[in-house]
Amino acid sequence: MTSRAERATLLEAAGMTLLGEVWTVAGVTPESAVRSVIHLDVRPDVRVDHETADSVARTEQIWWDIARDVGVLTDDNAFHLSPTCPGAFRLPWARVRAAAPGEFLRALQTEFGSLEFVTVCPTDGTVVGVFEEEDENWIVTSRGRP
């Protein structure tokens, strides 16, 4: 992914409404968000084995629950998102709205080639990331900036 326009097209194809862009959220950039949840010492909050029945849907449901709990999501399902695909660090956060829980993660996986992304809470900078690690999907929460 090389441009904002390309990312916007992919997000819209994934069923999201692009509401805007911003370089930092609560002092957190997309790059610092990823660095806070991907390092040698990180331990996932939740692991979903790929052998689990519909592991993508299960991972998505857990992400929605955690994202709501930590304040990533607004009441109308809007949030700041950065896919972790090549070139994403050079782009600002995308503020998006997902239509509803259920197919968001599968659509991201289809459009971006991966279900990996980070989101951030606008009030305190808590980061929630979803990543594929070997035979599992990991959901990782980082309290504050790295």
Side-chain angles (χ1 to χ4, degrees), residues 7 11 16 18-26 28 30 33 63 67 71-74 77-83 92-98 104 117-123 126-128:
R7 179 180 66 183
L11 289 171
M16 294 184 204
L18 182 60
L19 304 172
E21 297 177 322
V22 62
W23 286 101
T24 64
V25 176
V28 180
W63 177 84
V72 165
L73 291 167
T74 63
N77 295 332
F79 55 97
H80 293 90
L81 171 131
S82 181
W93 288 102
R95 181 157 171 75
V96 298
R97 180 178 299 115
F104 146 67
F117 66 97
V118 289
T119 56
V120 62
C121 174
T123 57
T126 298
V127 174
V128 180

Side-chain angles (χ1 to χ4, degrees), residues 94-126:
R95 181 157 171 75
V96 298
R97 180 178 299 115
E103 290 298 318
F104 146 67
L105 201 53
R106 193 173 315 283
L108 269 185
Q109 187 176 37
T110 299
E111 297 305 323
F112 287 91
S114 168
L115 55 74
E116 298 187 0
F117 66 97
V118 289
T119 56
V120 62
C121 174
T123 57
D124 68 4
T126 298

Side-chain angles (χ1 to χ4, degrees), residues 42-121:
V42 75
R43 296 293 174 251
D45 296 287
V46 179
R47 297 172 186 225
V48 178
D49 191 296
H50 288 167
E51 297 298 318
T52 301
D54 204 350
S55 65
V56 174
R58 178 77 181 127
T59 301
E60 180 175 345
Q61 183 56 57
I62 294 167
W63 177 84
W64 280 96
D65 293 343
I66 291 173
R68 275 211 198 286
D69 288 348
V70 302
V72 165
L73 291 167
T74 63
D75 290 338
D76 64 349
N77 295 332
F79 55 97
H80 293 90
L81 171 131
S82 181
T84 61
C85 56
F89 288 169
R90 294 187 305 270
L91 301 176
W93 288 102
R95 181 157 171 75
V96 298
R97 180 178 299 115
E103 290 298 318
F104 146 67
L105 201 53
R106 193 173 315 283
L108 269 185
Q109 187 176 37
T110 299
E111 297 305 323
F112 287 91
S114 168
L115 55 74
E116 298 187 0
F117 66 97
V118 289
T119 56
V120 62
C121 174

